Amino acid sequence: MKPKNILLILLTLALLSACTPVTQAAPPAAGVEVVPALAVTPAPLPTQPPTTTLRPTDPPAAPTRPPLIIHSPLAGMTYADLQSSVVNPFNPPPAGSDDPHHGVDLAMIDSGIALAGQPVQAMLPGNVAAVITDRFPYGNALIIETPLSVLPSGLVTTLSSVSQGPAAQTSALTCPPVSYPWQENLEKSLYILYAHLLEAPTVQAGQPVSGGQLIGSSGASGNALNPHLHLEARLGPAGASFTSMAHYDPSASSDEMAAYCTWRISGIFSLVDPMLLFAQIAVE
């Protein structure tokens, strides 16, 4: 055969092969399980972590201090009741003098007779600065210190403006020399003395006392002719304390007389009118 004819035959066969349809795969034989091809899930594209935008927050609110409550020194009595119960008013002497009357006396009167045993409560929260047990002239008494920082600013201004006795004068009292570690403290506190109590106080020096806490009952201990509560209020150095206090009595020790003089006439403690506190009473 000629080469030309052979080439023509090969071309014809190639064209026929290209035009032949693709045959489908034969169905599986009976009993043969067909396993489907696994579906391939494309891997997720890496994403950027969410961006957190920091926003400034408001500072926490400062804790609010509950309003101060001033209690009546005699339980159950209002300001009007106390005014009508004054049997010896506040009558301050000249600075440095121990003449009466440094405080105010309160008594319950029935048919002209002063009654003993009226419940006495702390007017303000604080710490016990002195406990006096059956010593002349205060009898059974205690002093409670309240920092000025817990008092309303208006009340502090009022008390400071009317306080008496920045300096002592010559006194006839026997006053042994004494120097207390707290004497030069520039920070001030309010001190309230509760005197002539029926029985010796059960609290201890340095013990905290809450406002309205029962601290005794009215009596006639010490230099008292009739049952009553004697109150004194003074401004003085913070942190003051006395182990006892006495005078006008041969049994009074040197330390007791020094404490009495320091409290009463030295000028270290400035006298204020307790009635200024009564006017602020919010709870009986």
Side-chain angles (χ1 to χ4, degrees):
M1 184 178 294
K2 295 183 179 179
K4 183 176 180 181
N5 293 337
I6 295 173
L7 180 59
L8 182 59
I9 292 171
L10 290 175
L11 289 173
T12 301
L13 292 174
L15 289 173
L16 291 175
S17 175
C19 294
T20 303
V22 179
T23 59
Q24 295 183 351
V32 178
E33 181 181 0
V34 177
V35 179
L38 295 177
V40 179
T41 303
L45 295 176
T47 58
Q48 293 292 335
T51 303
T52 303
T53 303
L54 298 178
R55 184 176 60 184
T57 57
D58 295 331
T64 57
R65 188 174 64 191
L68 180 73
I69 296 175
I70 299 181
H71 298 258
S72 170
L74 294 178
M77 300 186 69
T78 65
Y79 175 53
D81 295 332
L82 292 172
Q83 286 181 308
S84 63
S85 300
V86 175
V87 294
N88 196 353
F90 180 65
N91 184 22
S97 170
D98 197 38
D99 293 339
H101 189 234
H102 286 223
V104 61
D105 291 345
L106 304 170
M108 291 290 292
I109 307 297
D110 184 15
S111 302
I113 300 176
L115 303 179
Q118 301 305 308
V120 175
Q121 56 189 14
M123 295 185 67
L124 293 164
N127 290 311
V128 177
V131 175
I132 304 167
T133 303
D134 197 21
R135 304 300 290 144
F136 194 89
Y138 285 129
N140 297 317
L142 71 157
I143 301 174
I144 298 177
E145 174 192 5
T146 300
L148 294 186
S149 59
V150 308
L151 300 180
S153 58
L155 179 58
V156 173
T157 300
T158 300
L159 295 176
S160 300
S161 65
V162 300
S163 61
Q164 182 218 17
Q169 298 177 356
T170 303
S171 174
L173 277 182
T174 300
C175 294
V178 67
S179 179
Y180 297 102
W182 42 260
Q183 193 168 317
E184 302 301 325
N185 196 343
L186 297 180
E187 185 179 354
K188 300 295 183 182
S189 289
L190 173 66
Y191 294 85
I192 300 179
L193 177 142
Y194 305 78
H196 306 315
L197 301 177
L198 184 63
E199 298 175 342
T202 58
V203 295
Q204 304 295 321
Q207 179 179 333
V209 173
S210 58
Q213 178 177 331
L214 186 66
I215 55 176
S217 56
S218 61
S221 59
N223 186 26
L225 297 177
N226 296 296
H228 68 276
L229 172 66
H230 173 82
L231 281 176
E232 289 182 25
R234 300 178 190 268
L235 300 180
S241 62
F242 302 100
T243 55
S244 185
M245 192 177 291
H247 218 300
Y248 306 109
D249 187 332
S251 68
S253 69
S254 176
D255 288 342
E256 287 179 318
M257 290 190 292
Y260 182 87
C261 292
T262 301
W263 170 256
R264 293 275 290 194
I265 66 170
S266 69
I268 295 174
F269 293 88
S270 302
L271 192 61
V272 297
D273 186 355
M275 298 301 290
L276 295 173
L277 298 173
F278 293 173
Q280 306 288 326
I281 289 174
V283 174
E284 297 177 2

